[in-house]
Amino acid sequence: MAFVEFTNVGFSYSHNSPVLHSISFSIERTEHVMLAGTIGAGKSTALKLAVGLFAPDKGSIRVDGISPSIPSLYEIVKRIGVALQNPSDQIFCSTVREEMLYGLRNLGANETSDTFQRTVALFGFSRLLDKHPYDLHPAQRRLLTIASAIAMNTPFYIFDEPTSGISKPERESIVGALHQLRIAGKGYMLITHDLAFGMEHCDRILVFNKGILAVDESLPDFLQRENAQGILKKNGLQMPIVPRMSAQLAQNTITAQYPDFISQLRQQQTSSKQAP
Amino acid sequence: MTAHPNLLLEHFSYTYPFADRPAFTDVSFELLSGETLGIVGPSTSGKTSLLYAIAGILQKHFPAGIMSGNILREAAKPFISPAEIGFVFQDQYMQLSGATETVEAEIAFSLEQLGTPPNIIRERIVEQVSQFHLEHLARRHPQTLSGGETRMLALACEMAKHPRCLLLDQPTESLHPEGINLLINALNRIKQSAMLIVVEHRLELINALCDKVLFLLNGNQQFYGHPSELFSSDIDTHSLDIPSWIDAQRKLLGHVETLSYRKSLRTLQQWHSSNLQT
């Protein structure tokens, strides 16, 4: 049974403008999925529906077999960790420590708990624990929301625009965290405009276009498609530079990953030199 | 005759009240109308604080902070009037007035505060709505917009003022590629008649837009000059998000000849074909 399952989900905030039209997809517990799309395509709305902050107008949503809603929220938060697009919508405790512990306390854990300690170490927050979240830099606030979600040790995570407005050091922290999640066998979904980042860290791509699911495919398959660039363009997106460059430099070496790309080029260079 | 810079900073430093270290120290640059400055650097380097100082926000709201060096706006005159400065904040939700019920009214809001005549307000709304492709959102309540849509609205509101000095703090945050293109086009349009200062992590954008770039690290000015010199210089740029094609060129060829993606691709293509022939 799929972990997150949307079946013909439709939703609108007001009567005249539906945000999602009949969206269906299912994600397994250990999958790593990116969700892309232009602004206003309904990506963040899908997140809010998945955790039960809103109820769908039509269709159904199941998370680990449970229908997300306000009454079932207690069960949902044990299954999906979430970082919202705007950190200020999420943070409300008066210290970094309290913010990270807030969810854990509800589950009976405290500061000595293993996952709290590990998450603090993972994000290098030990110096910041007594600070007020609003004294943090916006980029660190975003890290805090992601760290708070990971501290909950749920099997699945949804991060909305995790790389928005952050610089290289924070990006490296997030990459490290995603890597740890992968090793621990946890699944995640990244909602992102940063396709290069999404393609490096996910195995499957979903694209929303004006509330319709336009693409749902494994990333390697999608990138091998001849018109992958055209499909993204049709949906208002742009192929990141590395796959574009590798396609232009040497056909059939399409890869989303920059280190792979460099090593492939190096290999080609050495193998062609060795050839008689 | 050399033109007087419209904005001049000389050894400018600022420390927030009660802070244990300066937000930034010894920053110097000059900017003419029609020029664009990019400010880069990792988080907590003092980029936003520097924008606040240029806009006069620090001086007004934290007068107890310690300031040294010179900041001259419009050389002879002490200040460009606040009405002529546009500021796009990093948090797009902070930009909304909260006092209006439609996107159009939100664009009109700050113009109304400045006493702009109604017919001109009307023109500016039409101009900005078409510039940022907001037609389908014009009647929506600003609070119902998505993150990226709110960003576009924030940009439209500030550009509607036709500012002489526009400060943008990470304007591409939560925008999709098409939105970024709209932003670049819009900035290119007002560039001729205004000074632009952009804080941005995406060096691609800095490269496409800016005449000068300033690199701040922990409040210290590491570099000030033309964007192409930033990558060919010996400065340690590992804390910056270098565009991947520049990095590829550097890793494969050991040097960076150019900043343009097309030229870089051509260089790599030459490298590739010559290596396959040997």
Side-chain angles (χ1 to χ4, degrees), chain A residues 4-268:
Chain A
V4 179
E5 199 161 17
F6 276 53
T7 317
N8 301 324
V9 172
F11 180 77
S12 65
Y13 289 103
S14 60
H15 288 297
N16 47 6
S17 55
V19 181
L20 296 179
H21 309 266
S22 196
I23 295 258
S24 301
F25 60 83
S26 58
I27 298 173
E28 299 298 324
R29 188 186 279 261
T30 54
E31 268 191 300
H32 306 106
V33 185
M34 65 184 286
L35 172 54
T38 57
I39 55 175
K43 309 185 294 300
S44 302
T45 303
L47 180 162
K48 288 170 189 161
L49 290 170
V51 294
L53 291 178
F54 296 112
D57 294 342
K58 49 180 201 209
S60 74
I61 299 171
R62 289 278 180 282
V63 172
D64 202 11
I66 303 165
S67 168
S69 62
I70 297 300
S72 70
L73 208 52
Y74 190 73
E75 292 305 314
I76 299 296
V77 295
K78 284 192 227 168
R79 288 168 174 79
I80 300 187
V82 164
L84 297 177
Q85 181 175 11
N86 184 4
S88 310
D89 286 348
Q90 184 162 351
I91 293 172
F92 66 99
C93 293
S94 56
T95 63
V96 169
R97 177 184 282 107
E98 284 309 309
E99 183 67 33
M100 285 183 67
L101 280 171
Y102 186 81
L104 281 176
R105 288 236 163 93
N106 286 324
L107 300 180
N110 62 28
E111 208 172 323
T112 56
S113 92
D114 197 32
T115 89
F116 175 75
Q117 297 288 352
R118 264 188 293 132
T119 316
V120 169
L122 185 62
F123 285 90
F125 273 167
S126 50
R127 271 187 321 113
L128 302 177
L129 285 176
D130 291 317
K131 279 206 165 189
H132 194 289
Y134 284 100
D135 289 336
L136 298 182
H137 188 274
Q140 291 170 329
R141 279 213 290 276
R142 186 169 296 281
L143 276 194
L144 175 58
T145 61
I146 293 172
S148 306
I150 290 179
M152 290 287 282
N153 202 17
T154 52
F156 195 87
Y157 298 90
I158 306 181
F159 300 136
D160 197 351
E161 294 289 356
T163 61
S164 168
I166 61 169
S167 66
K168 199 177 168 194
E170 289 89 30
R171 180 186 285 257
E172 282 167 355
S173 294
I174 294 179
V175 167
L178 293 181
H179 190 63
Q180 291 298 322
L181 292 181
R182 225 174 233 269
I183 291 174
K186 294 172 187 291
Y188 55 72
M189 173 145 126
L190 307 180
I191 299 177
T192 185
H193 287 303
D194 189 347
L195 295 196
F197 183 82
M199 286 180 176
E200 273 198 39
H201 301 288
C202 298
D203 310 316
R204 179 172 157 200
I205 180 169
L206 303 182
V207 175
F208 280 12
N209 189 352
K210 299 198 176 106
I212 291 164
L213 184 63
V215 176
D216 178 3
E217 203 169 3
S218 95
L219 255 174
D221 289 352
F222 179 73
L223 288 172
Q224 289 299 341
R225 278 202 198 194
E226 237 170 66
N227 59 342
Q229 210 167 324
I231 295 172
L232 287 182
K233 201 170 176 188
K234 209 174 74 189
N235 292 297
L237 302 170
Q238 200 178 28
M239 185 65 95
I241 277 165
V242 167
R244 227 159 73 207
M245 205 171 193
S246 71
Q248 276 164 307
L249 274 177
Q251 287 76 35
N252 307 325
T253 56
I254 287 192
T255 159
Q257 297 212 10
Y258 173 69
D260 286 359
F261 167 60
I262 295 284
S263 62
Q264 276 178 8
L265 282 180
R266 285 224 171 101
Q267 272 168 18
Q268 280 190 358

